[in-house]
Amino acid sequence: FHLFFTCLRVRSFSSPPASPTKVCVVGGGPAGFYTAQSLLKGSPHIQVDIYERLPVPFGLVRFGVAPDHPEVKNVINTFTQTAQHKRCHFLGNVHVGKDITIQELMQAYHAVVLSYGAEGNRTMGVSGEGLPGVYSAKDFVGWYNGLPCNKELQPDLSHETAVILGQGNVALDVARILLSPLDLLKKTDITQNALETLAASKVQRVLMVGRRGPLQVACTIKELREMVNMPYTAPDMLPADFQHVAQALADLPRPRKRLTELIMKTLNEDHRGRQGVKRWGFRFFRSPLEVLPSADGSRASGIRLAVNKLEGVGDAVTAVPTSEVDEIACGMIISSIGYKSLPIDPAVPFDFKRAIVPNNMGRVEETTGLYCSGWVKRGPTGVIATTMNDSFDTARTILQDLESGAINVSVSRPGSSEVVPLLEKRGVRTVSFADWEKINAEETKQGTAVGKPREKLLDVREMLAVAWT
Amino acid sequence: MAQCLCLRSLLTPCGTRSLGMHLRIQSCLDGTKIYKWQHRQVGTCPTLCTDSKSPAASKVTVHFINQDGVRNSVTATEGESLLDVVVNKNLDISGFGACEGTLACSTCHLIFEEDIHERLDPVMDEEVDMLDLAYGLTKTSRLGCQIVVQPWMEGMTVHVPKGIKDQRELAGSKKTQ
């Protein structure tokens, strides 16, 4: 039961369309679900089909949110209600762009919404980036969260120091999972595979490297507080990185001030004598120059960094390299410098520079009837609530276009009754939401047996086998 | 509030929390912080700590001014949070309470009248951490999931801020925890 569906606002059309308005959403993550939810609420004539490549829904809520943040996943309850709405259908196991084209979808539906997020990642662009021991945060997070394509990652946790490039909330998630006591992790939905690997981990120190200074750190205070409060760990900061910060405090807005004060607090605590603790810290004013190979060239053994100075003022302050360099010896490097959207179909315009689908308020440029929401529309930043607001905005645009006639609903469209047979002819069988619920039940059952909320299935074939029993 | 149940063991900084629970933080008279996890029960009003000697929970009139300036007056029940009230009374506030009361977002942000705000239970760090990310933050802002309806709030007016957004989109951080 959720408030959205107890107060459906019925929009009055001057004359109702002859047949239902069919909308197709590509992507079953937060953007897809929030867009669908808002469309269903906005008109009683709309039917929404949500297509998802995996057999399982929910996108980054399932595969991105850290296992020790289950409360963030509460939005799954809202998404479940949306999927169970009588005018909504979830169709999993459909690879849009490969099993079916965007053009075919646009013929079958009145409107198509691209909500497929960002499955690529930004690269550092330095030599040695391809060496064993170097991972993207996206893959590392996917690995501990059970994303099927990352299950063979086998990260090497046998070295003492891990360096993370980036200081955003994803970097903090990775650091926290690397350093969390097993007792806490084993009660979460982290994969068994990851749990076993972490149990054997020799990682004792995690450094998060950022190109600018403490006043520009991109993480937020809740995540930082979790690191500060982590048992059996101690902060490892360089006081030299904090010159001029104390003086700047008074003029900062409250959120930045509190965050900075919390980081500064770690400087004042003396942890030098403590034995047997793991360490975590920030290293500021550093940008990657090169990943250094081990003597036999078989893996990463360190990272060479340019030392930066800051130029400019306020939020526009930028990092400019000096001639000074620094090196950190480490056995694992994780680049957490951003996700990146990829083009889905040659028929869809794509801005390669910004890595988004070019659009105006959610209307894809040059393509009537095609829309976008979420990260593929605005870029891969922000939290679930950000995507929620963005999806509501796109839905509003679509509803406006329906009302104005910019989308022609006088012609009826077949929707999934055309798409599903077409997929079947191509050997693709869809997974319904009820099928997902069988996977959900199986995962929950396996999890309960070991004291976890769920034990995620890691293999797509296994998911399909359960879905179609 | 000293009669609150102490369920401190439920919350550790990196502890596990189950789906369907929401979090209330209160401070007891002796200064200890109480973290109370409650099951969200559909359609019922979860009560916080009420003194076992107190009479049946009173009804309290609360006026909500929504984002369009429209007033909705509802009868809340003592012990409900303002998030519970919005849900139970079907108040149509888009995107309100996305994390279902677990201090993982700021979408239940509400603005109070000054005299009411002064009398509210002191705000805890964990709430300020999320409030700091709320769009349109004011000096009399609080998160609705942390404010429990009490009889002295009879007739109060709360404002829903214009945009329910989270500043982490502007802070440039990549995604959720």
Side-chain angles (χ1 to χ4, degrees):
Chain A
F1 160 72
H2 194 283
L3 68 94
F4 288 102
F5 296 114
T6 59
C7 49
L8 270 171
R9 278 196 321 253
V10 176
R11 295 177 70 88
S12 55
F13 288 88
S14 45
S15 56
S19 59
T21 304
K22 304 219 176 165
V23 180
C24 161
V25 170
V26 178
F33 275 98
Y34 276 127
T35 306
Q37 177 190 71
S38 197
L39 286 171
L40 291 166
K41 183 181 175 189
S43 160
H45 306 294
I46 292 182
Q47 291 179 359
V48 182
D49 290 339
I50 302 176
Y51 289 85
E52 162 58 45
R53 184 168 62 196
L54 287 170
V56 297
F58 309 138
L60 281 175
V61 177
R62 175 179 166 103
F63 295 115
V65 174
D68 56 353
H69 286 159
E71 69 283 355
V72 175
K73 304 189 200 195
N74 281 348
V75 292
I76 285 177
N77 299 334
T78 305
F79 300 161
T80 296
Q81 283 205 293
T82 299
Q84 290 171 339
H85 191 284
K86 66 179 192 295
R87 288 185 278 120
C88 185
H89 288 99
F90 172 81
L91 298 100
N93 196 42
V94 179
H95 188 158
V96 174
K98 178 169 153 287
D99 298 336
I100 188 153
T101 67
I102 292 290
Q103 267 169 343
E104 286 169 330
L105 288 174
M106 290 181 71
Q107 273 159 18
Y109 290 89
H110 292 102
V112 174
V113 189
L114 303 173
S115 308
Y116 64 82
E119 71 185 87
N121 60 267
R122 292 178 63 203
T123 53
M124 290 188 280
V126 302
S127 83
E129 188 162 7
L131 281 169
V134 183
Y135 313 94
S136 68
K138 176 185 81 68
D139 287 342
F140 193 79
V141 171
W143 168 73
Y144 64 63
N145 273 336
L147 187 59
C149 66
N150 292 136
K151 73 176 189 285
E152 309 298 341
L153 193 75
Q154 294 177 322
D156 179 2
L157 302 184
S158 61
H159 305 280
E160 189 190 286
T161 300
V163 167
I164 303 175
L165 281 315
Q167 298 168 330
N169 286 339
V170 177
L172 259 75
D173 276 357
V174 170
R176 194 177 69 251
I177 296 298
L178 280 172
L179 298 178
S180 271
L182 264 301
D183 277 346
L184 295 173
L185 288 180
K186 71 181 189 215
K187 298 181 210 156
T188 71
D189 64 5
I190 195 168
T191 65
Q192 195 56 29
N193 174 15
L195 205 52
E196 285 164 12
T197 307
L198 287 163
S201 166
K202 303 274 193 300
V203 175
Q204 295 289 311
R205 190 167 77 129
V206 178
L207 298 175
M208 290 169 277
V209 176
R211 61 189 169 195
R212 295 188 294 175
L215 293 171
Q216 289 78 40
V217 77
C219 63
T220 51
I221 194 170
K222 174 174 184 272
E223 289 72 16
L224 182 67
R225 204 184 285 288
E226 286 174 323
M227 278 314 304
V228 169
N229 292 339
M230 165 94 67
Y232 315 119
T233 65
D236 178 346
M237 308 283 182
L238 292 178
D241 282 348
F242 291 81
Q243 292 171 10
H244 315 305
V245 172
Q247 299 93 293
L249 274 178
D251 297 325
L252 296 173
R254 187 179 84 176
R256 176 60 69 181
K257 180 161 184 265
R258 291 177 76 240
L259 176 61
T260 311
E261 281 171 344
L262 185 56
I263 306 177
M264 306 268 307
K265 197 162 102 94
T266 67
L267 288 177
N268 298 330
E269 294 165 356
D270 187 358
H271 300 276
R272 279 168 303 175
R274 288 179 68 190
Q275 298 296 326
V277 293
K278 300 187 184 180
R279 296 181 183 278
W280 66 277
F282 292 124
R283 290 292 178 271
F284 294 101
F285 311 108
R286 303 279 186 281
S287 295
L289 282 176
E290 186 187 349
V291 174
L292 304 170
S294 55
D296 64 0
S298 66
R299 57 170 183 85
S301 71
I303 187 160
R304 180 172 289 143
L305 305 159
V307 175
N308 300 324
K309 61 178 198 267
L310 297 186
E311 287 185 356
V313 288
D315 289 337
V317 73
T318 54
V320 172
T322 65
S323 54
E324 211 187 318
V325 291
D326 191 9
E327 279 181 21
I328 305 179
C330 56
M332 179 162 72
I333 292 166
I334 299 184
S335 70
S336 182
I337 57 176
Y339 286 56
K340 197 165 84 168
S341 290
L342 302 177
I344 192 172
D345 188 301
V348 177
F350 195 79
D351 178 342
F352 283 92
K353 185 152 174 279
R354 294 176 61 196
I356 57 166
V357 171
N359 70 93
N360 185 357
M361 305 225 298
R363 293 182 187 96
V364 175
E365 283 181 5
E366 302 157 19
T367 324
T368 310
L370 190 61
Y371 299 82
C372 54
S373 68
W375 281 8
V376 79
K377 170 185 168 195
R378 290 175 42 257
T381 60
V383 294
I384 294 176
T386 320
T387 291
M388 176 181 79
N389 283 296
D390 177 79
S391 302
F392 291 171
D393 285 345
T394 291
R396 197 170 310 126
T397 297
I398 296 172
L399 291 165
Q400 281 169 9
D401 285 358
L402 285 171
E403 196 159 351
S404 71
I407 302 174
N408 180 6
V409 296
S410 61
V411 182
S412 86
R413 299 270 182 179
S416 58
S417 63
E418 178 173 287
V419 172
V420 171
L422 188 55
L423 288 168
E424 274 166 11
K425 263 208 319 233
R426 296 171 182 173
V428 176
R429 183 177 162 190
T430 62
V431 170
S432 70
F433 201 76
D435 292 335
W436 143 249
E437 281 170 336
K438 292 187 228 157
I439 299 173
N440 190 21
E442 178 59 27
E443 290 184 341
T444 307
K445 179 169 142 218
Q446 287 188 25
T448 306
V450 292
K452 294 161 80 170
R454 74 174 59 245
E455 187 60 60
K456 289 177 185 167
L457 299 182
L458 302 184
D459 197 78
V460 169
R461 279 165 307 181
E462 226 187 307
M463 292 175 184
L464 294 174
V466 172
W468 293 331
T469 46
Chain B
M1 298 289 184
Q3 73 274 30
C4 298
L5 301 171
C6 288
L7 297 168
R8 244 168 298 190
S9 58
L10 287 183
L11 179 73
T12 59
C14 309
T16 56
R17 306 161 193 175
S18 54
L19 281 176
M21 303 284 275
H22 64 170
L23 171 67
R24 299 277 168 70
I25 303 182
Q26 275 194 307
S27 76
C28 285
L29 289 175
D30 63 356
T32 53
K33 241 195 252 188
I34 304 300
Y35 297 88
K36 185 167 165 73
W37 287 95
Q38 292 177 267
H39 280 292
R40 280 205 71 72
Q41 284 171 309
V42 163
T44 63
C45 309
T47 53
L48 193 60
C49 323
T50 46
D51 197 312
S52 54
K53 296 198 203 72
S54 69
S58 356
K59 299 295 182 192
V60 178
T61 305
V62 178
H63 309 287
F64 285 82
I65 310 284
N66 74 11
Q67 288 150 319
D68 302 319
V70 173
R71 172 202 280 244
N72 275 302
S73 300
V74 298
T75 308
T77 306
E78 176 186 3
E80 286 187 294
S81 74
L82 290 179
L83 171 57
D84 296 329
V85 174
V86 169
V87 171
N88 291 337
K89 298 295 177 188
N90 303 331
L91 294 175
D92 183 13
I93 308 172
S94 260
F96 198 85
C99 79
E100 300 184 2
T102 55
L103 285 179
C105 76
S106 55
T107 61
C108 68
H109 170 205
L110 291 169
I111 300 170
F112 294 80
E113 304 159 298
E114 249 184 79
D115 55 338
I116 302 284
H117 181 258
E118 270 165 22
R119 290 181 68 182
L120 296 173
D121 284 344
V123 64
M124 298 293 143
D125 276 342
E126 288 80 358
E127 184 186 339
V128 186
D129 287 352
M130 301 316 296
L131 258 180
D132 270 354
L133 308 176
Y135 188 77
L137 189 67
T138 70
K139 287 192 171 45
T140 58
S141 288
R142 291 293 297 267
L143 292 183
C145 66
Q146 298 302 301
I147 306 301
V148 177
V149 173
Q150 302 289 311
W152 64 261
M153 296 175 183
E154 172 62 36
M156 78 169 169
T157 300
V158 296
H159 285 77
V160 178
K162 288 280 185 304
I164 299 183
K165 285 184 199 293
D166 195 310
Q167 290 279 48
R168 280 175 288 189
E169 65 182 293
L170 304 174
S173 64
K174 297 296 178 280
K175 65 168 179 60
T176 63
Q177 51 276 36

mmCIF file of all heavy atoms in Angstrom, chain A residues 409-434:
data_model
loop_
_atom_site.group_PDB
_atom_site.id
_atom_site.type_symbol
_atom_site.label_atom_id
_atom_site.label_comp_id
_atom_site.label_asym_id
_atom_site.label_seq_id
_atom_site.Cartn_x
_atom_site.Cartn_y
_atom_site.Cartn_z
ATOM 1 N N VAL A 409 -2.180 9.990 -30.287
ATOM 2 C CA VAL A 409 -2.770 8.780 -29.716
ATOM 3 C C VAL A 409 -4.047 8.358 -30.444
ATOM 4 O O VAL A 409 -4.714 7.413 -30.032
ATOM 5 C CB VAL A 409 -3.054 8.947 -28.202
ATOM 6 C CG1 VAL A 409 -1.766 9.151 -27.441
ATOM 7 C CG2 VAL A 409 -4.015 10.093 -27.951
ATOM 8 N N SER A 410 -4.366 9.043 -31.549
ATOM 9 C CA SER A 410 -5.590 8.653 -32.251
ATOM 10 C C SER A 410 -5.383 7.339 -33.006
ATOM 11 O O SER A 410 -6.316 6.628 -33.336
ATOM 12 C CB SER A 410 -6.024 9.754 -33.222
ATOM 13 O OG SER A 410 -5.003 9.948 -34.183
ATOM 14 N N VAL A 411 -4.112 7.033 -33.269
ATOM 15 C CA VAL A 411 -3.794 5.738 -33.888
ATOM 16 C C VAL A 411 -3.495 4.757 -32.763
ATOM 17 O O VAL A 411 -2.675 5.036 -31.908
ATOM 18 C CB VAL A 411 -2.538 5.867 -34.777
ATOM 19 C CG1 VAL A 411 -2.225 4.554 -35.462
ATOM 20 C CG2 VAL A 411 -2.695 7.008 -35.765
ATOM 21 N N SER A 412 -4.142 3.609 -32.776
ATOM 22 C CA SER A 412 -3.852 2.674 -31.690
ATOM 23 C C SER A 412 -2.551 1.929 -31.986
ATOM 24 O O SER A 412 -2.162 1.756 -33.139
ATOM 25 C CB SER A 412 -5.022 1.719 -31.478
ATOM 26 O OG SER A 412 -4.911 0.625 -32.347
ATOM 27 N N ARG A 413 -1.878 1.551 -30.934
ATOM 28 C CA ARG A 413 -0.596 0.854 -31.075
ATOM 29 C C ARG A 413 -0.689 -0.493 -30.380
ATOM 30 O O ARG A 413 -1.359 -0.619 -29.358
ATOM 31 C CB ARG A 413 0.517 1.681 -30.422
ATOM 32 C CG ARG A 413 0.702 3.060 -31.042
ATOM 33 C CD ARG A 413 1.680 3.047 -32.171
ATOM 34 N NE ARG A 413 1.889 4.386 -32.725
ATOM 35 C CZ ARG A 413 2.708 4.648 -33.715
ATOM 36 N NH1 ARG A 413 3.412 3.676 -34.266
ATOM 37 N NH2 ARG A 413 2.837 5.883 -34.146
ATOM 38 N N PRO A 414 -0.004 -1.491 -30.884
ATOM 39 C CA PRO A 414 -0.156 -2.833 -30.326
ATOM 40 C C PRO A 414 0.622 -3.098 -29.030
ATOM 41 O O PRO A 414 0.278 -4.002 -28.279
ATOM 42 C CB PRO A 414 0.357 -3.745 -31.439
ATOM 43 C CG PRO A 414 1.299 -2.899 -32.226
ATOM 44 C CD PRO A 414 0.841 -1.485 -32.112
ATOM 45 N N GLY A 415 1.693 -2.366 -28.808
ATOM 46 C CA GLY A 415 2.473 -2.582 -27.583
ATOM 47 C C GLY A 415 3.084 -3.970 -27.524
ATOM 48 O O GLY A 415 3.575 -4.509 -28.516
ATOM 49 N N SER A 416 3.004 -4.591 -26.364
ATOM 50 C CA SER A 416 3.674 -5.875 -26.168
ATOM 51 C C SER A 416 3.023 -6.989 -26.986
ATOM 52 O O SER A 416 3.672 -8.017 -27.234
ATOM 53 C CB SER A 416 3.693 -6.251 -24.690
ATOM 54 O OG SER A 416 2.377 -6.314 -24.191
ATOM 55 N N SER A 417 1.781 -6.801 -27.412
ATOM 56 C CA SER A 417 1.156 -7.866 -28.199
ATOM 57 C C SER A 417 1.849 -8.018 -29.554
ATOM 58 O O SER A 417 1.718 -9.049 -30.210
ATOM 59 C CB SER A 417 -0.347 -7.625 -28.381
ATOM 60 O OG SER A 417 -0.559 -6.434 -29.097
ATOM 61 N N GLU A 418 2.572 -7.019 -29.969
ATOM 62 C CA GLU A 418 3.410 -7.152 -31.163
ATOM 63 C C GLU A 418 4.839 -7.532 -30.778
ATOM 64 O O GLU A 418 5.478 -8.360 -31.450
ATOM 65 C CB GLU A 418 3.427 -5.820 -31.926
ATOM 66 C CG GLU A 418 4.310 -5.833 -33.170
ATOM 67 C CD GLU A 418 4.141 -4.542 -33.977
ATOM 68 O OE1 GLU A 418 3.093 -4.387 -34.617
ATOM 69 O OE2 GLU A 418 5.061 -3.697 -33.930
ATOM 70 N N VAL A 419 5.331 -6.940 -29.701
ATOM 71 C CA VAL A 419 6.737 -7.123 -29.338
ATOM 72 C C VAL A 419 7.020 -8.538 -28.826
ATOM 73 O O VAL A 419 8.023 -9.154 -29.214
ATOM 74 C CB VAL A 419 7.153 -6.069 -28.284
ATOM 75 C CG1 VAL A 419 8.542 -6.360 -27.748
ATOM 76 C CG2 VAL A 419 7.098 -4.671 -28.889
ATOM 77 N N VAL A 420 6.170 -9.059 -27.985
ATOM 78 C CA VAL A 420 6.462 -10.374 -27.382
ATOM 79 C C VAL A 420 6.532 -11.482 -28.432
ATOM 80 O O VAL A 420 7.489 -12.269 -28.431
ATOM 81 C CB VAL A 420 5.466 -10.685 -26.237
ATOM 82 C CG1 VAL A 420 5.612 -12.122 -25.753
ATOM 83 C CG2 VAL A 420 5.684 -9.727 -25.075
ATOM 84 N N PRO A 421 5.567 -11.575 -29.379
ATOM 85 C CA PRO A 421 5.710 -12.598 -30.433
ATOM 86 C C PRO A 421 6.965 -12.406 -31.269
ATOM 87 O O PRO A 421 7.625 -13.373 -31.662
ATOM 88 C CB PRO A 421 4.445 -12.399 -31.288
ATOM 89 C CG PRO A 421 3.483 -11.717 -30.392
ATOM 90 C CD PRO A 421 4.281 -10.879 -29.461
ATOM 91 N N LEU A 422 7.313 -11.151 -31.511
ATOM 92 C CA LEU A 422 8.530 -10.866 -32.278
ATOM 93 C C LEU A 422 9.757 -11.395 -31.531
ATOM 94 O O LEU A 422 10.656 -12.019 -32.111
ATOM 95 C CB LEU A 422 8.625 -9.351 -32.489
ATOM 96 C CG LEU A 422 9.698 -8.801 -33.420
ATOM 97 C CD1 LEU A 422 9.603 -9.452 -34.789
ATOM 98 C CD2 LEU A 422 9.520 -7.283 -33.552
ATOM 99 N N LEU A 423 9.782 -11.169 -30.229
ATOM 100 C CA LEU A 423 10.894 -11.660 -29.421
ATOM 101 C C LEU A 423 10.926 -13.183 -29.423
ATOM 102 O O LEU A 423 11.996 -13.800 -29.534
ATOM 103 C CB LEU A 423 10.778 -11.134 -27.982
ATOM 104 C CG LEU A 423 11.064 -9.641 -27.776
ATOM 105 C CD1 LEU A 423 10.638 -9.195 -26.379
ATOM 106 C CD2 LEU A 423 12.530 -9.322 -27.995
ATOM 107 N N GLU A 424 9.759 -13.775 -29.310
ATOM 108 C CA GLU A 424 9.705 -15.244 -29.288
ATOM 109 C C GLU A 424 10.254 -15.836 -30.568
ATOM 110 O O GLU A 424 11.000 -16.816 -30.555
ATOM 111 C CB GLU A 424 8.255 -15.716 -29.031
ATOM 112 C CG GLU A 424 7.931 -15.793 -27.550
ATOM 113 C CD GLU A 424 6.442 -15.932 -27.240
ATOM 114 O OE1 GLU A 424 5.656 -16.185 -28.192
ATOM 115 O OE2 GLU A 424 6.086 -15.795 -26.060
ATOM 116 N N LYS A 425 9.909 -15.176 -31.676
ATOM 117 C CA LYS A 425 10.436 -15.640 -32.981
ATOM 118 C C LYS A 425 11.955 -15.585 -32.986
ATOM 119 O O LYS A 425 12.621 -16.359 -33.679
ATOM 120 C CB LYS A 425 9.912 -14.724 -34.103
ATOM 121 C CG LYS A 425 8.705 -15.254 -34.819
ATOM 122 C CD LYS A 425 8.541 -14.806 -36.273
ATOM 123 C CE LYS A 425 8.849 -13.379 -36.577
ATOM 124 N NZ LYS A 425 7.744 -12.704 -37.290
ATOM 125 N N ARG A 426 12.507 -14.675 -32.220
ATOM 126 C CA ARG A 426 13.961 -14.532 -32.154
ATOM 127 C C ARG A 426 14.569 -15.347 -31.022
ATOM 128 O O ARG A 426 15.735 -15.188 -30.672
ATOM 129 C CB ARG A 426 14.331 -13.051 -31.989
ATOM 130 C CG ARG A 426 13.922 -12.232 -33.191
ATOM 131 C CD ARG A 426 14.060 -10.741 -32.985
ATOM 132 N NE ARG A 426 13.598 -10.042 -34.172
ATOM 133 C CZ ARG A 426 13.467 -8.728 -34.273
ATOM 134 N NH1 ARG A 426 13.767 -7.954 -33.236
ATOM 135 N NH2 ARG A 426 13.022 -8.186 -35.394
ATOM 136 N N GLY A 427 13.748 -16.190 -30.412
ATOM 137 C CA GLY A 427 14.266 -17.060 -29.363
ATOM 138 C C GLY A 427 14.398 -16.404 -28.010
ATOM 139 O O GLY A 427 15.106 -16.895 -27.128
ATOM 140 N N VAL A 428 13.689 -15.292 -27.813
ATOM 141 C CA VAL A 428 13.785 -14.589 -26.531
ATOM 142 C C VAL A 428 12.466 -14.740 -25.776
ATOM 143 O O VAL A 428 11.408 -14.362 -26.268
ATOM 144 C CB VAL A 428 14.084 -13.090 -26.740
ATOM 145 C CG1 VAL A 428 14.089 -12.340 -25.409
ATOM 146 C CG2 VAL A 428 15.417 -12.914 -27.461
ATOM 147 N N ARG A 429 12.567 -15.309 -24.586
ATOM 148 C CA ARG A 429 11.382 -15.460 -23.750
ATOM 149 C C ARG A 429 11.479 -14.464 -22.606
ATOM 150 O O ARG A 429 12.538 -14.334 -21.986
ATOM 151 C CB ARG A 429 11.333 -16.892 -23.221
ATOM 152 C CG ARG A 429 10.106 -17.191 -22.383
ATOM 153 C CD ARG A 429 10.088 -18.647 -21.947
ATOM 154 N NE ARG A 429 9.160 -18.821 -20.828
ATOM 155 C CZ ARG A 429 9.069 -19.941 -20.108
ATOM 156 N NH1 ARG A 429 9.855 -20.971 -20.403
ATOM 157 N NH2 ARG A 429 8.218 -20.024 -19.119
ATOM 158 N N THR A 430 10.385 -13.765 -22.310
ATOM 159 C CA THR A 430 10.441 -12.705 -21.294
ATOM 160 C C THR A 430 10.195 -13.268 -19.895
ATOM 161 O O THR A 430 9.648 -14.357 -19.716
ATOM 162 C CB THR A 430 9.402 -11.603 -21.570
ATOM 163 O OG1 THR A 430 8.093 -12.175 -21.507
ATOM 164 C CG2 THR A 430 9.614 -10.979 -22.943
ATOM 165 N N VAL A 431 10.638 -12.497 -18.920
ATOM 166 C CA VAL A 431 10.433 -12.822 -17.507
ATOM 167 C C VAL A 431 9.425 -11.814 -16.963
ATOM 168 O O VAL A 431 9.670 -10.609 -17.007
ATOM 169 C CB VAL A 431 11.771 -12.718 -16.731
ATOM 170 C CG1 VAL A 431 11.553 -12.814 -15.225
ATOM 171 C CG2 VAL A 431 12.738 -13.793 -17.206
ATOM 172 N N SER A 432 8.322 -12.306 -16.454
ATOM 173 C CA SER A 432 7.302 -11.400 -15.911
ATOM 174 C C SER A 432 7.648 -11.024 -14.480
ATOM 175 O O SER A 432 8.571 -11.600 -13.884
ATOM 176 C CB SER A 432 5.940 -12.090 -15.918
ATOM 177 O OG SER A 432 5.964 -13.129 -14.935
ATOM 178 N N PHE A 433 6.901 -10.086 -13.930
ATOM 179 C CA PHE A 433 7.160 -9.716 -12.548
ATOM 180 C C PHE A 433 6.847 -10.878 -11.612
ATOM 181 O O PHE A 433 7.543 -11.092 -10.619
ATOM 182 C CB PHE A 433 6.371 -8.461 -12.155
ATOM 183 C CG PHE A 433 6.963 -7.769 -10.965
ATOM 184 C CD1 PHE A 433 8.119 -7.006 -11.096
ATOM 185 C CD2 PHE A 433 6.398 -7.894 -9.699
ATOM 186 C CE1 PHE A 433 8.702 -6.377 -9.999
ATOM 187 C CE2 PHE A 433 6.970 -7.275 -8.589
ATOM 188 C CZ PHE A 433 8.127 -6.515 -8.742
ATOM 189 N N ALA A 434 5.823 -11.649 -11.933
ATOM 190 C CA ALA A 434 5.511 -12.824 -11.118
ATOM 191 C C ALA A 434 6.659 -13.831 -11.186
ATOM 192 O O ALA A 434 6.967 -14.508 -10.200
ATOM 193 C CB ALA A 434 4.208 -13.457 -11.588
#
